[in-house]
Amino acid sequence: MTSIETTAFAALDKEGRLLNAVFKGPTGKPGYYGFRGDIALKFQPKLADEARPPEFKLEQIVAIAKEGTGKIEKLAGYLHDFAHFEEFKQIVLPLLSPDGAYFLFVNNVDLLAKYTITVDGVTLTVLACDETTVWKELSDYAGLDKNDFKKLDGGGKVDLILEKATEAKETYEVLSIEDALSRAEPAKNRNANRPV
């Protein structure tokens, strides 16, 4: 049975960065461990031992890692503000592999945006995501619908969506990270238009 300690998720788990897990465990594929949830990118200062929610996170993660490799093999996640890419680069990027498949859904880019960026040898597909979820967007991207997931457990669902999304992955306009960041729009206030 694959345990988190033998995978690239171990360090994130020890640092208390794996949050809001919808799924966290072996995927059913031998040697693979999956995670669905959030990764804290920047913590708020602690006040008198009181743990506070992170300042911002890589949200709605769907990821798998193979034991013993020290790398996350496939990952999709949501950044509310592309300006937080620097923290993503420090915390998550070192755990990614040049051979992996990675999808970064970003809120404050043009809704039609589809970029390919390579940072430190790791290639990321950058896609827009507004008022929907990574799971829904990734399912559409992979050509899957609810019926495809019906008979699967949590690990099987994570495996299937990442496998099919990887098969569907295209190379889009190749941008440098500087160019991609310069195209970002102002981040939306999540609390605007919410009833008080």
Side-chain angles (χ1 to χ4, degrees), residues 61-141:
I61 302 282
V62 186
I64 55 169
K66 189 167 193 227
E67 64 182 342
T69 64
K71 296 290 178 187
I72 294 170
E73 199 168 282
K74 295 173 186 166
L75 174 142
Y78 170 83
L79 268 185
H80 184 68
D81 187 347
F82 212 176
H84 298 154
F85 187 84
E86 189 53 42
E87 286 78 8
F88 170 86
K89 185 180 168 185
Q90 289 168 19
I91 309 293
V92 181
L93 200 72
L95 301 174
L96 307 184
S97 154
D99 308 322
Y102 309 108
F103 302 87
L104 201 54
F105 290 90
V106 182
N107 181 273
N108 60 327
V109 295
D110 184 291
L111 280 175
L112 300 174
K114 290 180 169 144
Y115 315 142
T116 299
I117 57 174
T118 301
V119 182
D120 296 346
V122 174
T123 301
L124 301 152
T125 300
V126 178
L127 303 161
C129 185
D130 185 33
E131 296 183 5
T132 181
T133 64
V134 166
W135 190 266
K136 170 87 177 73
E137 288 289 315
L138 204 59
S139 296
D140 290 350
Y141 189 89

Side-chain angles (χ1 to χ4, degrees), residues 1-14 18-19 21-39 61-76 95-96 102 153-162:
M1 193 74 145
T2 307
S3 81
I4 196 166
E5 284 77 28
T6 61
T7 72
F9 296 119
L12 296 171
D13 200 36
K14 280 193 186 85
L18 298 184
L19 307 170
V22 176
F23 175 80
K24 187 178 174 186
T27 64
K29 204 171 170 184
Y32 281 89
Y33 195 92
F35 177 71
R36 264 184 87 184
D38 300 334
I39 295 176
I61 302 282
V62 186
I64 55 169
K66 189 167 193 227
E67 64 182 342
T69 64
K71 296 290 178 187
I72 294 170
E73 199 168 282
K74 295 173 186 166
L75 174 142
L95 301 174
L96 307 184
Y102 309 108
D153 63 8
K157 289 175 183 174
V158 167
D159 258 341
L160 178 68
I161 198 168
L162 287 169

